[in-house]
Amino acid sequence: MNMRSLRFRLVAWYASLLAAIFVALGVLTFAGLRHFLETNLRDTQMRRARQIADTLLLNVSHPGDAFIAPEVEAFYAPEANDRFIRITRSDGSMLYASGKPTDDSFDSSAIPRAPLTRNGEGSRRERLPGDKVLLIASLDYKTSIGARYVVEVGAPMARIEAMLDQVLLFLALGLPIVVIVAAGGGYLLVKRALAPVDQIARKAEQISQHNLSGRLPVTRTGDELERLSLSLNHMISRLEDAVHNSKRFLADASHELRTPLTVLRGELENVAQNGRLEEDTRETLGSMLEEVERLAKIVEGLFALSRLDAGEAQAEWVPFDLAELAATTADQMSLLAEDKGISVSCEAKQGITVEGDRARLKQVVVNLLDNAIKYTPNGGAIHLGVTRKNGHAVLDVTDNGIGIPAEALPHVFERFFRVDKARSRDEGGAGLGLSIVKSICTAHGAAVEVESTPGRGSHFRIKLPLAESGAPTKENQHEN
Ligand code: ADP
């Protein structure tokens, strides 16, 4: 379980708050009940003490009070009712004291005398041996003829304590159950409420610059999540427009630049053919032609990329033999390699059929071989291989050239990225070759990987689905 997830944190907060509220409520209930029961018991004892005083002691005086004891026994039967009653004269002598109760729950003779109180009434708890507690109400009573008595009436608190123990047990068992049930319910509610977030996140993962037409799901609940997904969808729409505009600009600009550049190149070539030109004018014209060639190459690259962005590689979708394509391309380019004394070996078994735009995939092989030749010093070696592996056609281009530094490897497929700008420029590169490779591969549902060690060489690998093992369809190829 992810403890940092919103779901977990909300439920944890909710359960903790609920537990705190229930504990506070439990404590208050328990304390209130205890107070109520004790007050009730104390009032009952006090009422009884007053009753004894008002009915039996009212008109007696010390010398003639012996009849009281049997009267108390007769009316109140304290032993049989498990109660304690004691009447003490003002000189400290005992007029009456109840004996042991029938349930033997306390020993009345062990109960100390009541402390004197100012207002004549008082109550106390008396803890007796065996952890028994007696709640005793005491009344300092003055008879109508001036004699004084202390009447004490008590009852054991065992029944109240048993009841309170039961309430405590009930609270201790019930509280965790209530909290667990409430937290479980809260979890389900939060899960339901946050389900659209998962859907939004899943859909958002699938949206990339290639399928900006996708939209996040909108649950019509009228809540913040609906507002969030609507706002995000508006944002995606604006991004889609922006990306679309920039693609169209790239396509228009590269298209518009091609014709004037062709005209310029043609005219420069015409002028250069004029035999009456001065030597340095001819040199200037030569370098101008070189720059125009480079510019034309960049524009061609950009134009190719813009057409790939527009999904043009889908147009010429046919099955063909990749091994045969690689072998003929390597053959055609070996002349270029020979100029630098580089050997090109090719191991491509016939019959590895893939489906796609043949001309575009040839461009991939050309670009990779061209780079390998450009970045391999004289006398180096390049190896091209096409094999079949796990339902894929695998194209490997390996060289033992200058290699690519590790920090540059993640960027080599970016547009206009060059490890060494000056060197690439000298070699006639503009940093578009590998981004064209990447775009063509993406359009064909192919993966492209690179491994390289500076000073030892580079290895580019393309994995293309075999035609017979379910080549990507024209509909889904732009989704990766
Ligand atoms: P460029 O037109 O500059 O060759 P690419 O997009 O083809 O542009 O390649 C990008 C950069 O990756 C190159 O500038 C070069 O630094 C590096 N690179 C590509 N292929 C190789 C290779 N086979 N060996 C060494 N470096 C390479």
Side-chain angles (χ1 to χ4, degrees):
M1 184 178 282
N2 178 6
M3 286 164 80
R4 295 178 68 184
S5 73
L6 198 58
R7 192 179 304 167
F8 180 85
R9 282 188 294 158
L10 276 177
V11 173
W13 269 105
Y14 166 70
S16 320
L17 201 70
L18 212 67
I21 291 172
F22 282 161
V23 167
L25 263 178
V27 169
L28 276 179
T29 309
F30 184 78
L33 186 66
R34 183 188 193 104
H35 178 74
F36 170 77
L37 291 173
E38 275 192 30
T39 312
N40 204 22
L41 187 66
R42 190 175 300 122
D43 288 351
T44 311
Q45 307 315 310
M46 186 55 82
R47 255 200 322 275
R48 198 160 284 136
R50 207 167 284 126
Q51 204 178 19
I52 291 173
D54 289 343
T55 54
L56 301 176
L57 294 175
L58 183 65
N59 294 315
V60 293
S61 63
H62 188 163
D65 59 11
F67 75 95
I68 300 288
E71 292 280 317
V72 174
E73 285 284 349
F75 282 117
Y76 298 100
E79 287 95 353
N81 291 314
D82 303 328
R83 255 186 243 123
F84 162 73
I85 298 179
R86 183 162 65 191
I87 305 171
T88 317
R89 297 187 187 94
S90 56
D91 59 5
S93 61
M94 189 101 69
L95 168 59
Y96 170 77
S98 59
K100 267 194 176 178
T102 43
D103 69 351
D104 219 12
S105 58
F106 58 89
D107 179 7
S108 4
S109 61
I111 299 170
R113 293 275 167 83
L116 286 175
T117 52
R118 263 195 211 158
N119 62 357
E121 285 185 7
S123 71
R124 68 187 195 277
R125 287 174 195 212
E126 210 60 72
R127 191 168 287 279
L128 303 174
D131 228 17
K132 303 264 166 50
V133 179
L134 222 58
L135 187 75
I136 302 173
S138 45
L139 176 69
D140 186 3
Y141 190 75
K142 198 172 175 185
T143 66
S144 56
I145 45 178
R148 294 182 71 136
Y149 294 90
V150 173
V151 183
E152 291 169 278
V153 179
M157 287 185 65
R159 227 170 288 155
I160 294 183
E161 269 162 6
M163 190 188 285
L164 288 172
D165 282 351
Q166 256 182 0
V167 171
L168 199 66
L169 185 73
F170 174 75
L171 286 174
L173 289 179
L175 221 129
I177 294 176
V178 170
V179 171
I180 289 170
V181 170
Y187 177 79
L188 290 180
L189 279 179
V190 173
K191 194 175 164 184
R192 250 186 85 171
L194 292 182
V197 176
D198 278 341
Q199 290 168 9
I200 292 174
R202 239 175 287 133
K203 184 69 195 173
E205 289 279 329
Q206 293 164 9
I207 296 178
S208 71
Q209 61 155 329
H210 299 297
N211 66 344
L212 272 172
S213 55
R215 289 294 175 271
L216 303 176
V218 179
T219 334
R220 297 283 170 194
T221 44
D223 59 8
E224 292 83 349
L225 286 178
E226 181 186 337
R227 238 179 50 224
L228 178 72
S229 32
L230 281 174
S231 308
L232 287 174
N233 278 344
H234 289 149
M235 188 186 77
I236 297 169
S237 292
R238 291 194 295 275
L239 280 177
E240 190 184 12
D241 285 348
V243 169
H244 180 73
N245 286 343
S246 82
K247 280 182 181 170
R248 218 181 44 209
F249 173 77
L250 178 65
D252 291 349
S254 50
H255 181 72
E256 292 301 322
L257 285 170
R258 289 170 86 209
T259 322
L261 276 173
T262 317
V263 173
L264 193 60
R265 186 164 53 187
E267 288 184 351
L268 280 175
E269 276 167 358
N270 274 345
V271 178
Q273 274 163 16
N274 186 344
R276 284 172 298 162
L277 287 178
E278 299 267 334
E279 189 52 33
D280 46 348
T281 314
R282 191 182 300 280
E283 266 174 29
T284 312
L285 268 176
S287 90
M288 280 168 82
L289 251 171
E290 249 175 48
E291 291 305 316
V292 170
E293 290 279 358
R294 197 191 313 280
L295 203 55
K297 233 171 151 185
I298 294 175
V299 169
E300 277 309 319
L302 288 176
F303 187 64
L305 279 170
S306 73
R307 281 168 35 151
L308 283 165
D309 280 348
E312 239 218 21
Q314 303 165 46
E316 312 286 331
W317 205 263
V318 286
F320 64 92
D321 187 352
L322 181 70
E324 183 265 331
L325 174 84
T328 46
T329 314
D331 200 34
Q332 286 159 5
M333 294 194 67
S334 58
L335 279 179
L336 205 64
E338 269 168 27
D339 290 346
K340 282 181 82 179
I342 295 172
S343 69
V344 179
S345 58
C346 177
E347 193 186 333
K349 293 195 182 73
Q350 297 289 311
I352 298 183
T353 312
V354 294
E355 202 176 346
D357 183 331
R358 196 175 191 279
R360 291 281 179 218
L361 284 166
K362 182 177 169 111
Q363 175 101 54
V364 168
V365 185
V366 168
N367 285 10
L368 291 179
L369 279 175
D370 185 49
N371 276 349
I373 296 168
K374 275 195 297 195
Y375 301 108
T376 300
N378 292 2
I382 296 169
H383 179 75
L384 186 97
V386 181
T387 46
R388 189 195 297 261
K389 209 173 188 183
N390 302 333
H392 282 85
V394 181
L395 173 88
D396 291 293
V397 180
T398 317
D399 65 60
N400 61 357
I402 60 170
I404 304 166
E407 64 278 9
L409 273 180
H411 307 290
V412 290
F413 296 103
E414 290 169 11
R415 293 175 187 187
F416 293 111
F417 178 83
R418 286 157 292 173
V419 176
D420 180 345
K421 285 194 174 53
R423 182 177 188 132
S424 164
R425 191 184 150 84
D426 290 346
E427 300 283 359
L432 290 176
L434 287 181
S435 39
I436 291 175
V437 167
K438 174 85 179 168
S439 288
I440 297 174
C441 287
T442 304
H444 284 82
V448 49
E449 297 162 6
V450 56
E451 284 170 7
S452 187
T453 314
R456 297 188 62 181
S458 310
H459 173 196
F460 285 84
R461 167 168 282 194
I462 312 267
K463 277 192 212 156
L464 200 67
L466 284 169
E468 55 267 30
S469 73
T473 63
K474 290 173 190 182
E475 288 72 34
N476 69 17
Q477 62 193 294
H478 266 284
E479 281 171 19
N480 32 41

